[in-house]
Amino acid sequence: MFSKACEYAMRAAVYIAKCSMEGKRVAVKEVAEATDIPEAFASKVLQRLARAGLVDSLRGKKGGFSMSASQQKRSLYEIVTLFEGEAYFNSCVLGLPVCSSQNPCPLHYQVVGLRDALKKSLQQTTIRKAATEVVDAGARLRFSSEDDESH
Amino acid sequence: MFSKACEYAMRAAVYIAKCSMEGKRVAVKEVAEATDIPEAFASKVLQRLARAGLVDSLRGKKGGFSMSASQQKRSLYEIVTLFEGEAYFNSCVLGLPVCSSQNPCPLHYQVVGLRDALKKSLQQTTIRKAATEVVDAGARLRFSSEDDESH
DNA sequence: TCATAAAAGGATATTTTTGTCTTTTTTTAA
DNA sequence: TTAAAAAAAGACAAAAATATCCTTTTATGA
C-alpha cells in the first residue's frame, strides 16, 4: 500500500515520538533496532524527516533524534505525503492525468470517497496519538516483542 | 496508489469489456491507443490478464482480445490482486510482518476498516459495470476525448 | 500455399526503489 | 586538544518496475 520508505518513516517517527514523550533523545541505531529498519536506510529516512522539519536532529556525541510537542502534533498524513507525494491521495485511481466529477474515470465515484476517508483519517491522526497507542495499548512497531531484544 | 501495470490492466480490461459488449474483438494496438498505454507494455499486461483467464485472446489475423459475459462479471478486485498481490489489502499498513487485533500496530484500527471498505468496493464492482459507466455516463479511459483520435 | 496480421515469448534497456558503505562534519567530554 | 560518538552527505550496489525491441507461433484469407 505504501512504499518501504514511507512505512519506515512512520514507524521511526512514532518511535521517536514515544522516546521524546519519555524525555529521551535517540540515535539512529536504536531507532533502527526498535522498529526493524535497516540502519543505513533508517538514517536516510530520518534525514528526510529532519529536513522536512518533522523531527529534530542533533549531531555529535549525545546527539540523536527527537520531536518537540508541536512536532508530535503533526499528522501521519504529512509523513505519507512527504514520501508518496500529494498525488497519492489526489490523482486518478486508473492513472488518468485528468479525472474529476466533471471528467470522471469509471471508478471515480466508486473509489474517491473511500480514499478521501483514508486521507482524512491520516490527517486526523497525530504522530503522538500513534505513539500513545504503543505506550497505552501495547501496539507494536516491530515483529518481535520488546522483551527479546537480548542485550 | 496502484502500480502502473495495475492501472493499465484496469483501463485495458474495461475497454475490452466495452468492445465485447458491442460484439467487437480488439487488437493490442487499438486497446493501447484507446487507453493511453504504451503498446508493448499493453501487450505484456494483456498477456498476464489472458493467462489469468480474465480475458480471452486469439492469435493470428482477425485475432485480438475479448471478454465473455462471465469474464465481464469478474471484479476489479481480481485485477488488482493479480498485479498487486493479495497482500496489498491484507498486510500491515506500517509493513510489520504480523499485525492483527491480537497484535495491532498503532494504526491497525485506524486504517483497517477503511481499507476493507475499499477492498469490498472493488470486489463488488464488476468490469462490466465500469465499462457501462463509460458507455452510459461518458466516463473516460484516456486523457483526450475520443473525438480527437484523428484517424 | 503463401502473405499478412495478430498474439506470445524472450531479450534487453531504462528508471526507480531499496539498501549499503565510506567519508565528512559536528558535538561532547575526558 | 584530542578521542569518541553521532548525524550528514555522497557514492555505490542490487533489485524491482517500467518500457522497448525482436523473434516465433498461430490463424486468416487471398
Side-chain angles (χ1 to χ4, degrees), chain B residues 3 15 17 21 25 31 36 40 45-46 57 61 65 70 83 86 90 94 99 110 115 122 142-145:
Chain B
S3 66
Y15 183 75
M21 284 161 68
R25 189 192 303 287
V31 175
D36 274 339
V45 164
L46 289 179
S57 75
K61 221 170 174 176
F65 295 88
S70 76
F83 285 84
E86 295 276 349
N90 300 328
L94 295 190
C99 177
Q110 200 69 211
R115 204 183 42 181
L122 289 171
R142 49 172 290 179
F143 174 49
S144 40
S145 68

Coordinates of all heavy atoms in Angstrom, one line a residue, chain B residues 3 15 17 21 25 31 36 40 45-46 57 61 65 70 83 86 90 94 99 110 115 122 142-145:
Chain B
S3 N 0.2 0.3 -8.9 CA 1.3 0.4 -9.8 C 0.8 0.7 -11.2 O -0.4 0.5 -11.5 CB 2.0 -1.0 -9.9 OG 1.1 -2.0 -10.4
Y15 N -11.8 -1.3 -21.2 CA -12.0 -1.1 -22.7 C -12.4 -2.3 -23.5 O -13.3 -2.3 -24.3 CB -10.7 -0.4 -23.3 CG -10.9 -0.1 -24.7 CD1 -11.7 1.1 -25.1 CD2 -10.4 -0.8 -25.7 CE1 -11.9 1.4 -26.4 CE2 -10.6 -0.5 -27.1 CZ -11.3 0.6 -27.4 OH -11.6 1.0 -28.7
A17 N -13.9 -4.9 -22.3 CA -15.2 -5.3 -21.9 C -16.2 -4.4 -22.7 O -17.2 -5.0 -23.3 CB -15.4 -5.0 -20.4
M21 N -18.9 -5.9 -25.3 CA -20.4 -5.6 -25.2 C -21.0 -5.2 -26.5 O -22.1 -5.4 -26.8 CB -20.6 -4.6 -24.1 CG -20.4 -5.1 -22.7 SD -20.1 -3.8 -21.4 CE -21.7 -2.9 -21.4
R25 N -14.1 -7.7 -31.2 CA -12.8 -8.1 -30.7 C -11.8 -7.0 -31.0 O -11.9 -6.4 -32.0 CB -12.4 -9.4 -31.5 CG -11.2 -10.1 -30.9 CD -10.7 -11.2 -31.8 NE -11.8 -12.2 -32.2 CZ -12.2 -13.2 -31.3 NH1 -11.7 -13.2 -30.1 NH2 -13.1 -14.0 -31.7
V31 N -6.4 -1.2 -28.2 CA -6.5 -1.0 -26.8 C -5.5 0.0 -26.3 O -5.9 0.9 -25.5 CB -6.2 -2.4 -26.0 CG1 -6.3 -2.2 -24.5 CG2 -7.3 -3.4 -26.5
D36 N -4.4 5.0 -23.7 CA -3.1 5.7 -23.5 C -2.1 4.8 -22.7 O -1.5 5.3 -21.7 CB -3.3 7.0 -22.7 CG -3.7 8.2 -23.7 OD1 -3.3 8.1 -24.8 OD2 -4.2 9.1 -23.2
A40 N 3.7 -1.8 -26.3 CA 4.5 -3.0 -25.9 C 4.1 -3.4 -24.5 O 4.0 -4.6 -24.2 CB 5.9 -2.8 -26.1
V45 N 0.8 -6.7 -20.4 CA -0.3 -6.6 -19.4 C -1.4 -7.5 -19.8 O -2.0 -8.3 -19.0 CB -0.7 -5.2 -19.2 CG1 -2.1 -5.1 -18.5 CG2 0.3 -4.4 -18.4
L46 N -1.8 -7.5 -21.1 CA -2.9 -8.3 -21.6 C -2.5 -9.8 -21.6 O -3.4 -10.6 -21.3 CB -3.2 -7.9 -23.0 CG -3.9 -6.5 -23.1 CD1 -4.2 -6.1 -24.5 CD2 -5.2 -6.5 -22.3
S57 N -7.9 -14.4 -25.5 CA -7.1 -13.9 -26.6 C -7.1 -14.9 -27.8 O -7.2 -16.1 -27.6 CB -5.6 -13.7 -26.2 OG -4.9 -14.9 -26.0
K61 N -4.5 -13.4 -37.8 CA -5.3 -12.4 -38.5 C -6.7 -12.5 -37.9 O -7.2 -13.6 -37.6 CB -5.4 -12.8 -40.0 CG -5.3 -11.5 -40.9 CD -5.1 -12.0 -42.3 CE -5.1 -10.8 -43.2 NZ -4.9 -11.2 -44.6
F65 N -8.3 -9.4 -28.5 CA -8.8 -9.8 -27.2 C -10.3 -9.5 -27.0 O -10.9 -8.7 -27.7 CB -8.0 -8.9 -26.1 CG -6.6 -9.2 -26.1 CD1 -5.7 -8.5 -27.0 CD2 -6.1 -10.2 -25.2 CE1 -4.3 -8.8 -26.9 CE2 -4.7 -10.5 -25.2 CZ -3.8 -9.8 -26.1
S70 N -19.2 -14.0 -18.7 CA -18.8 -14.4 -17.4 C -17.5 -13.6 -17.0 O -17.3 -13.3 -15.8 CB -18.7 -15.9 -17.2 OG -17.5 -16.3 -17.9
F83 N -2.2 -8.1 -10.0 CA -1.0 -7.2 -10.2 C -0.3 -6.7 -8.9 O 0.9 -6.5 -8.9 CB -1.3 -6.0 -11.1 CG -1.5 -6.4 -12.5 CD1 -2.7 -7.0 -13.0 CD2 -0.4 -6.4 -13.4 CE1 -2.8 -7.4 -14.3 CE2 -0.5 -6.8 -14.7 CZ -1.7 -7.3 -15.2
E86 N -2.4 -10.3 -3.1 CA -3.4 -10.3 -2.0 C -2.9 -9.4 -0.9 O -3.7 -8.7 -0.2 CB -3.6 -11.7 -1.5 CG -4.2 -12.7 -2.4 CD -5.7 -12.6 -2.5 OE1 -6.3 -11.9 -1.7 OE2 -6.3 -13.2 -3.4
N90 N -4.2 -7.0 2.6 CA -4.2 -7.7 3.9 C -3.1 -7.4 4.8 O -3.2 -7.6 6.0 CB -4.3 -9.2 3.6 CG -5.5 -9.6 2.8 OD1 -6.6 -9.0 3.0 ND2 -5.3 -10.6 2.0
L94 N 1.9 -0.4 8.3 CA 3.3 0.0 8.6 C 4.3 -1.0 8.2 O 5.5 -0.8 8.5 CB 3.3 0.2 10.2 CG 2.5 1.4 10.7 CD1 2.9 1.6 12.2 CD2 2.7 2.6 9.9
C99 N 0.4 -8.4 12.2 CA -0.4 -7.2 12.6 C -1.8 -7.7 12.6 O -2.4 -8.0 11.5 CB -0.1 -6.0 11.8 SG -1.1 -4.6 12.2
Q110 N -7.2 2.2 13.2 CA -7.4 3.5 12.4 C -7.7 3.2 10.9 O -8.5 3.9 10.3 CB -6.1 4.2 12.6 CG -6.1 5.7 12.3 CD -6.9 6.4 13.4 OE1 -7.4 7.4 13.1 NE2 -6.9 6.0 14.6
R115 N -9.6 0.4 4.7 CA -9.0 -0.4 3.6 C -9.9 -1.6 3.2 O -10.1 -1.9 2.1 CB -7.6 -0.9 4.0 CG -6.8 -1.2 2.8 CD -5.4 -1.8 3.2 NE -5.6 -2.7 4.3 CZ -4.6 -3.3 4.8 NH1 -3.4 -3.1 4.4 NH2 -4.8 -4.2 5.8
L122 N -14.2 -2.7 -4.4 CA -13.6 -3.2 -5.7 C -14.1 -4.6 -5.9 O -14.3 -5.0 -7.1 CB -12.0 -3.2 -5.5 CG -11.4 -1.9 -5.6 CD1 -9.9 -2.0 -5.3 CD2 -11.6 -1.2 -7.0
R142 N -9.0 7.5 -21.1 CA -7.8 8.2 -21.5 C -8.0 9.7 -21.4 O -9.1 10.1 -21.1 CB -7.4 7.8 -23.0 CG -8.5 8.0 -24.0 CD -8.1 7.8 -25.4 NE -7.3 9.0 -25.8 CZ -6.7 9.1 -27.0 NH1 -6.8 8.1 -27.8 NH2 -6.0 10.1 -27.3
F143 N -6.9 10.4 -21.5 CA -7.0 11.9 -21.3 C -7.9 12.6 -22.3 O -8.9 13.1 -21.9 CB -5.6 12.5 -21.3 CG -5.6 14.0 -21.2 CD1 -6.4 14.6 -20.2 CD2 -4.9 14.8 -22.0 CE1 -6.4 16.0 -20.1 CE2 -4.9 16.1 -21.9 CZ -5.7 16.8 -21.0
S144 N -7.5 12.5 -23.5 CA -8.2 13.3 -24.5 C -9.5 12.5 -24.9 O -9.6 11.3 -24.8 CB -7.3 13.5 -25.8 OG -6.6 12.3 -26.0
S145 N -10.5 13.3 -25.4 CA -11.7 12.7 -25.7 C -11.6 11.8 -26.9 O -10.7 12.0 -27.7 CB -12.8 13.8 -25.9 OG -12.5 14.5 -27.0

